[in-house]
């Protein structure tokens, strides 16, 4: 256990990307981020930010920090209790996100997608 308050817990990941990899979770069960009340989701990220600062100050190998939250099976969520990964990064570490970064939508496509999201907000 690294952190605990009345809303969230933070603890070491048992399958870390890098040394210092933490998980921040709500104390109550919510499978998906959309189920987490806004104030608790905000708390997860606030504590994540403070833990990121602590990782940087800890002396662990750290050239950067990633926050990663997998929401749904297609997004690689394996544990269905919403959780925020906070982990140190450094050049040459094993974490990779592989995608086709060459796709460039047109301005019209971007505007249409933005409109669809805005109308569903």
């Amino acid at each position: 256990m690294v952190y605990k308050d009345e809303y969230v817990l933070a603890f070491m990941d048992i399958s870390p990307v890098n040394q210092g990899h933490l998980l921040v979770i709500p104390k109550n069960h919510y499978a998906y981020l959309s189920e987490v009340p806004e104030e608790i989701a905000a708390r997860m990220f606030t504590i994540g930010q403070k833990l990121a600062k602590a990782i940087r100050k800890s002396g662990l190998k750290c050239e950067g920090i990633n926050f990663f939250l997998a929401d749904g099976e297609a997004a690689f969520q394996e544990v269905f209790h919403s959780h925020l990964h906070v982990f140190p990064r450094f050049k040459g570490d094993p974490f990779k996100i592989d995608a086709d970064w060459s796709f460039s939508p047109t301005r019209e496509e971007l505007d249409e997608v933005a409109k669809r999201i805005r109308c569903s907000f």
Side-chain angles (χ1 to χ4, degrees), residues 37-55:
E38 284 184 21
E39 63 277 2
I40 295 175
R43 186 76 181 153
M44 289 170 65
F45 280 85
T46 297
I47 295 306
Q49 181 183 31
K50 291 177 184 210
L51 291 168
K53 184 177 180 180
I55 290 169

Side-chain angles (χ1 to χ4, degrees), residues 5-113:
D5 66 26
E6 78 179 278
Y7 304 106
V8 302
L9 304 171
F11 50 87
M12 305 306 299
D13 191 309
I14 61 170
S15 298
V17 168
N18 291 317
Q19 190 177 38
H21 185 158
L22 303 170
L23 299 175
V24 182
I25 69 166
K27 278 188 169 180
N28 293 327
H29 175 69
Y30 308 99
Y32 303 103
L33 182 60
S34 61
E35 298 172 354
V36 180
E38 284 184 21
E39 63 277 2
I40 295 175
R43 186 76 181 153
M44 289 170 65
F45 280 85
T46 297
I47 295 306
Q49 181 183 31
K50 291 177 184 210
L51 291 168
K53 184 177 180 180
I55 290 169
R56 286 182 181 276
K57 291 172 55 178
S58 72
L60 292 169
K61 189 171 186 178
C62 179
E63 298 169 4
I65 299 281
N66 263 131
F67 279 19
F68 184 80
L69 195 150
D71 191 45
E73 191 172 344
F76 306 113
Q77 185 176 7
E78 295 175 347
V79 175
F80 289 86
H81 182 101
S82 190
H83 57 285
L84 175 66
H85 295 259
V86 180
F87 55 95
R89 299 297 311 276
F90 50 86
K91 188 175 177 115
D93 74 20
F95 187 74
K96 304 285 182 262
I97 297 178
D98 190 21
D100 179 3
W101 303 106
S102 66
F103 176 68
S104 265
T106 65
R107 175 81 267 158
E108 293 77 22
E109 290 171 318
L110 291 171
D111 290 343
E112 177 57 31
V113 171

